[in-house]
Every structure is written in C-alpha cells, then in structure tokens.
Amino acid sequence: MSNVDFARAYSLNMEIREDRFDPTMLQLARHVSTEGNCARRYVGAVIVRNGEVISTGANGVAPEFSNCIEAGCPRCVSGGSLGIGYDLCICIHAEQKAVTNAARDGISVEGGTMYVNLRPCLNCLVVAHNAGIKRLFYEEGWSYPPDIEKVYQGLSSAFEVFGQRSECVPGAPPPRV
C-alpha cells in the first residue's frame, strides 16, 4: 500500500479542517517519515487539499540504496549540521518529495495544507510556496543564524497560516512564527 493509499485509509470518515491545525495529519507525517532512508533524520510530509490527503513524502535517496551514506551523500557522510550544507546533500527532502510525487501523479497542490514533522528548510519553504501551498504546520522547530532567519521569516509570512504545533491552539488558526 502506498503512503497516499495508507493516508486516505487513515483519514477515511474524518473531517479534515484545513483552516486549523489537525494533530492527526501531523501524526500521519510522523508515520510517513519512517519510509525515509536518510541515515541522519526521518522527516515526513503530508499534503491535504479539500479535506483529502493528496500526497506524502519522506526524505532520503533513491530506493536502490539502503541509505544516504551508502549512496555517498557528502553532507550526511561528514555529519553536517542542521540548516547548513544542503547544497552538498543528495537526499530529497520530504516536502520536495511530497510536491514532486503529486506533480508526477498529475495532482495540483495549489491551495493545499502541508504537515511536516520538522520545520522546513529555506529551500523547501520556497518549493512549498511556489507550488501553491497555503498553510504549513510543523512539529519540531529549529532556526537559522539571524541573517538567514530574517529571510526565512519574511517568506513564511507569505503563507496564509504558518506555525509550529506547540503554538497551535485546538480549533483556532496558529499564530505566525
């Protein structure tokens, strides 16, 4: 069963409200993350539109490799720090994978909501925004050095809703980070 099939079965008969945080979708993102093969961290992303899970993605390299170390990822082999060195990484990020999986299947993510178990990097934020994602929720936070963080915050304000799970009040839209 594919992650999207699993997600659809998981969310069957559930009301998915895209205008507020849905803890079930974040739980699903954590489940999807277990499909990743990055040796450093498991990250999963779920995209919901019109109350339906339309795509999922987990981070890692092509499935013919057991993990990114075996595939020779320079960043993962050297133990790069969170938030830097992505230009050396050969892993696809979960957010990118969810967007590209939808594109491959001919599904638009325009107007969708993305759930990720880790705050997206700047490049993934750009991809999500340009793909038309309107709302983005994440679980685990981290931040860039102040000069880059300022750019990140500027881009995150372009989303209708952007927030960390701990900031989300049940039944209400979260504040902007």
Side-chain angles (χ1 to χ4, degrees), residues 4 9 32 43 61 65 81 113 120 135 176:
V4 171
V32 169
V43 182
V61 293
F65 299 103
S81 298
T113 301
R135 294 158 299 278
R176 297 212 180 269

Side-chain angles (χ1 to χ4, degrees), residues 54-66:
I54 59 171
S55 189
T56 64
N59 64 327
V61 293
E64 59 263 21
F65 299 103
S66 63

Side-chain angles (χ1 to χ4, degrees), residues 26-37:
L26 192 53
Q27 182 179 0
L28 181 57
R30 283 197 292 304
H31 171 79
V32 169
S33 77
T34 65
E35 299 295 319
N37 65 2

Side-chain angles (χ1 to χ4, degrees), residues 22-99:
D22 185 339
T24 304
M25 292 299 105
L26 192 53
Q27 182 179 0
L28 181 57
R30 283 197 292 304
H31 171 79
V32 169
S33 77
T34 65
E35 299 295 319
N37 65 2
C38 178
R40 296 176 43 83
R41 175 181 290 268
Y42 291 114
V43 182
V46 174
I47 301 174
V48 177
R49 192 185 68 227
N50 299 326
E52 181 182 352
V53 174
I54 59 171
S55 189
T56 64
N59 64 327
V61 293
E64 59 263 21
F65 299 103
S66 63
N67 62 46
C68 52
I69 304 293
E70 178 189 308
C73 177
R75 180 176 185 272
C76 294
V77 168
S78 69
S81 298
L82 186 63
I84 60 172
Y86 293 127
D87 56 328
L88 303 175
C89 186
I90 64 170
C91 296
I92 188 167
H93 291 190
E95 304 91 331
Q96 297 165 348
K97 184 84 175 254
V99 169

Side-chain angles (χ1 to χ4, degrees), residues 6 14 19 37 45 60 73 83-84 94 120 127 134 152 164 166-167:
F6 175 82
M14 292 176 45
D19 60 337
N37 65 2
C73 177
I84 60 172
V127 167
K134 297 296 182 196
Y152 189 97
Q164 186 174 7
S166 62
E167 301 164 342

Side-chain angles (χ1 to χ4, degrees), residues 18-21 119 134-139 152-153 156-177:
E18 294 176 57
D19 60 337
R20 65 180 185 206
F21 173 72
R119 180 183 156 181
K134 297 296 182 196
R135 294 158 299 278
L136 197 151
F137 299 102
Y138 64 92
E139 183 171 38
Y152 189 97
Q153 292 299 320
S156 71
S157 69
F159 291 86
E160 287 177 11
V161 180
F162 179 84
Q164 186 174 7
R165 179 184 76 89
S166 62
E167 301 164 342
C168 301
V169 177
R176 297 212 180 269
V177 172

Side-chain angles (χ1 to χ4, degrees), residues 2 5 11 18-19 51 58 74 77 80 100 106 131 136 145-147 150 166:
S2 74
D5 291 336
S11 62
E18 294 176 57
D19 60 337
V77 168
T100 58
L136 197 151
D147 56 333
K150 185 176 179 179
S166 62

